[in-house]
């Protein structure tokens, strides 16, 4: 299958998208025994995709409840195990595990979070440890919080997402996976498979199966379904003053955490879909700085080194990922719609979709893309 034909070079499986979703799938396909030479990654390397964000965390409670459902736990545990394996096999530090401290700020959301924790924490999976702190223990963990109540839990980790994706891509290349840079301009199927045309004008690739792991760009290739963009931004700060030597990662109005390189990440802030590309860095620095100051006691927080602004994709109808076949299309699959929970879901879903492609293993019903029955290829 690795030889070319009159319509261009061929692959058994072409994965469109070289971010966390696509590379999770490629890594799982290789680990489950698929020949590397029959795999293709087409990557546009978009600096505004979620996988390019320089400040990212994985922790069990990314939403508005401390009592997530069974599917969430199943995904988190599988993704945590996968992430740990990835990071431990690389020489460069790609993650920094640390406890997460969720600040109880006296508002309705905090009350809801604490109530849901009280109801659910005794039934958490064995590896998840949590406790409520206040007073001296709270002050020791985060001096700027002045002893007020918080929920502390682990496992959690700050992740160098761009570094992780670069390591996964390098490993795939070294094992023989072919990687092509470019955007997909055209996607057509005939009785022999898929033709994938690129904007660069290079010969179209041929593939028996195509997986679209394009994040927010999915709507450019597939239409009619409720595919939406979720813009956001994160920042990187110098580790000075109260940001130096954080004992915990902080979850309040924003996540605040020490990255693997010792600098401090803060985010993510969600933005309105209209006009987010025109937003200035000065406004972002002020807003993110104010959120950090509220959690850390209002001290001078030093200098912002970087502001990243980008967009993630979600399936608006139910905000759950889309994984599996596109209804009504032959050998066309998606692995997208992870929104801001890519680290929670993508590593796990890479393994699930790989097993489905190779052995026909069942998909998880909660994310099965066939529920999006209106999704159709743009022709």
């Amino acid at each position: 299958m690795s030889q070319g034909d009159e319509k261009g070079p061929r692959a058994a499986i072409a994965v469109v998208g070289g971010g966390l979703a696509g590379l999770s799938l490629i890594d799982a396909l290789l680990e489950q025994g698929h020949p590397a030479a029959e795999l293709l990654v087409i990557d546009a390397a978009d600096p505004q995709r979620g996988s390019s964000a320089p400040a990212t965390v994985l922790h069990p409670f990314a939403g508005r409840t401390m009592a997530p459902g069974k599917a969430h736990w199943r995904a988190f545990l599988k993704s945590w195990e996968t992430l740990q394996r990835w990071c431990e096999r690389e020489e460069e530090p790609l993650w920094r595990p640390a406890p997460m401290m969720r600040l109880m700020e006296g508002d309705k959301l905090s009350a809801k979070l604490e109530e849901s924790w009280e109801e659910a924490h005794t039934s958490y999976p064995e590896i998840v440890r949590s406790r409520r702190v206040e007073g001296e223990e709270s002050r020791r963990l985060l001096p700027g919080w002045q002893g007020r109540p918080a929920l502390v839990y682990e496992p959690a980790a700050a992740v160098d997402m761009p570094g992780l994706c670069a390591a996964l891509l390098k490993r795939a290349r070294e094992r023989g996976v072919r990687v092509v840079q470019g955007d997909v301009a055209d996607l057509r199927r005939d009785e022999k498979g898929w033709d994938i045309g690129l904007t660069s004008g290079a010969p179209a690739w041929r593939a028996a199966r195509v997986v679209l792991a394009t994040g927010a760009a999915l709507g450019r290739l597939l239409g009619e379904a409720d595919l939406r963009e979720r813009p956001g931004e994160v920042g990187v700060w110098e580790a000075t003053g109260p940001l130096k030597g954080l004992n915990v990662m902080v979850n309040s109005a924003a996540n605040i955490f020490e990255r693997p390189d010792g600098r401090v990440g803060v985010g993510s802030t969600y933005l309105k879909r209209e006009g987010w590309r025109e937003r200035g860095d000065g406004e972002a620095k002020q807003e993110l700085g104010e959120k950090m100051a509220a959690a850390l006691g209002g001290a001078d927080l030093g200098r912002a080194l970087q502001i990243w602004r980008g967009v993630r994709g979600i399936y608006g109808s139910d905000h759950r990922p889309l994984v599996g076949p596109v209804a009504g299309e032959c050998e066309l699959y998606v692995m997208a719609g992870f929104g801001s929970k890519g680290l929670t879901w993508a590593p796990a879903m890479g393994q699930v979709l790989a097993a489905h492609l190779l052995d026909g293993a069942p998909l998880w019903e909660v994310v099965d893309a066939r529920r999006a029955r209106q999704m159709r290829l743009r022709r």
Side-chain angles (χ1 to χ4, degrees):
M1 286 288 273
S2 62
Q3 299 301 313
D5 64 13
E6 69 278 3
K7 287 199 174 183
R10 295 182 61 87
I13 300 175
V15 177
V16 182
L20 181 65
L23 294 173
S24 295
L25 176 59
I26 288 291
D27 189 82
L29 287 167
L30 292 171
E31 293 302 312
Q32 294 179 31
H34 195 283
E38 297 183 1
L39 295 174
L40 168 69
V41 175
I42 300 174
D43 184 25
D46 182 0
Q48 292 183 324
R49 66 185 175 193
S51 295
S52 299
T56 311
V57 295
L58 173 59
H59 65 107
F61 308 108
R64 293 177 172 266
T65 179
M66 299 287 284
K70 292 181 179 179
H72 170 94
W73 280 125
R74 191 179 177 192
F76 172 79
L77 294 173
K78 186 180 284 288
S79 288
W80 180 268
E81 179 184 18
T82 303
L83 179 67
Q84 184 174 26
R85 173 169 53 84
W86 286 343
C87 292
E88 289 178 351
R89 76 187 182 188
E90 301 299 331
E91 294 181 0
E92 296 296 323
L94 296 175
W95 75 336
R96 180 182 178 273
M100 177 69 81
M101 187 169 175
R102 191 153 204 169
L103 309 184
M104 299 290 100
E105 301 178 87
D107 56 5
K108 291 182 179 179
L109 175 58
S110 296
K112 179 181 177 181
L113 288 168
E114 189 163 7
E115 181 180 354
S116 64
W117 177 78
E118 289 282 1
E119 293 174 353
H121 76 275
T122 57
S123 62
Y124 287 168
E126 185 176 351
I127 74 164
V128 179
R129 300 173 299 279
S130 66
R131 67 189 190 277
R132 186 183 188 277
V133 300
E134 61 181 325
E136 186 56 35
E137 186 176 11
S138 173
R139 188 175 293 106
R140 175 180 61 81
L141 291 170
L142 189 67
W145 190 232
Q146 301 176 348
R148 287 178 283 174
L151 297 173
V152 179
Y153 53 86
E154 50 189 325
V159 180
D160 176 0
M161 182 77 85
L164 174 63
C165 289
L168 290 171
L169 187 61
K170 179 182 177 183
R171 181 170 288 267
R173 285 182 188 270
E174 290 174 346
R175 295 184 64 173
V177 175
R178 288 165 296 167
V179 179
V180 175
Q181 295 289 327
D183 281 310
V184 171
D186 191 40
L187 191 58
R188 298 177 184 272
R189 180 174 172 81
D190 59 25
E191 68 279 1
K192 295 183 179 180
W194 288 95
D195 287 337
I196 310 169
L198 304 179
T199 54
S200 63
W205 281 79
R206 299 277 286 171
R209 293 172 163 179
V210 174
V211 181
L212 302 178
T214 54
L218 186 63
R220 300 173 198 165
L221 298 170
L222 294 173
E224 299 185 37
D226 188 12
L227 302 172
R228 305 180 189 176
E229 292 185 344
R230 173 170 282 179
E233 61 192 2
V234 300
V236 178
W237 255 254
E238 286 182 313
T240 59
L243 294 177
K244 188 173 183 178
L246 287 172
N247 298 314
V248 292
M249 299 190 291
V250 179
N251 186 327
S252 59
N255 291 327
I256 308 164
F257 51 92
E258 185 177 324
R259 303 192 317 172
D261 65 358
R263 294 176 175 178
V264 173
V266 55
S268 83
T269 299
Y270 295 126
L271 303 174
K272 294 180 179 179
R273 281 185 283 174
E274 299 79 18
W276 67 269
R277 287 179 175 84
E278 290 73 42
R279 180 174 163 91
D281 286 355
E283 185 178 358
K285 291 175 183 177
Q286 180 177 347
E287 184 174 330
L288 291 170
E290 288 172 353
K291 290 183 176 183
M292 285 195 294
L296 300 175
D300 181 12
L301 298 176
R303 183 167 62 96
L305 301 174
Q306 180 183 2
I307 297 293
W308 173 89
R309 195 169 297 107
V311 62
R312 303 173 178 94
I314 60 170
Y315 179 48
S317 298
D318 57 23
H319 289 209
R320 299 199 308 265
L322 295 166
V323 181
V326 176
E329 300 285 356
C330 183
E331 302 293 2
L332 181 65
Y333 303 80
V334 293
M335 187 172 161
F338 297 105
S340 58
K341 299 181 177 65
L343 273 171
T344 301
W345 283 92
M349 292 302 97
Q351 296 178 45
V352 169
L353 184 53
H356 178 77
L357 291 169
L358 299 184
D359 302 319
L363 298 164
W364 293 7
E365 183 178 355
V366 70
V367 298
D368 193 328
R370 285 169 290 197
R371 73 187 190 277
R373 298 189 179 277
Q374 290 184 324
M375 190 159 52
R376 293 291 183 272
L377 186 65
R378 293 186 184 274
R379 290 184 170 90

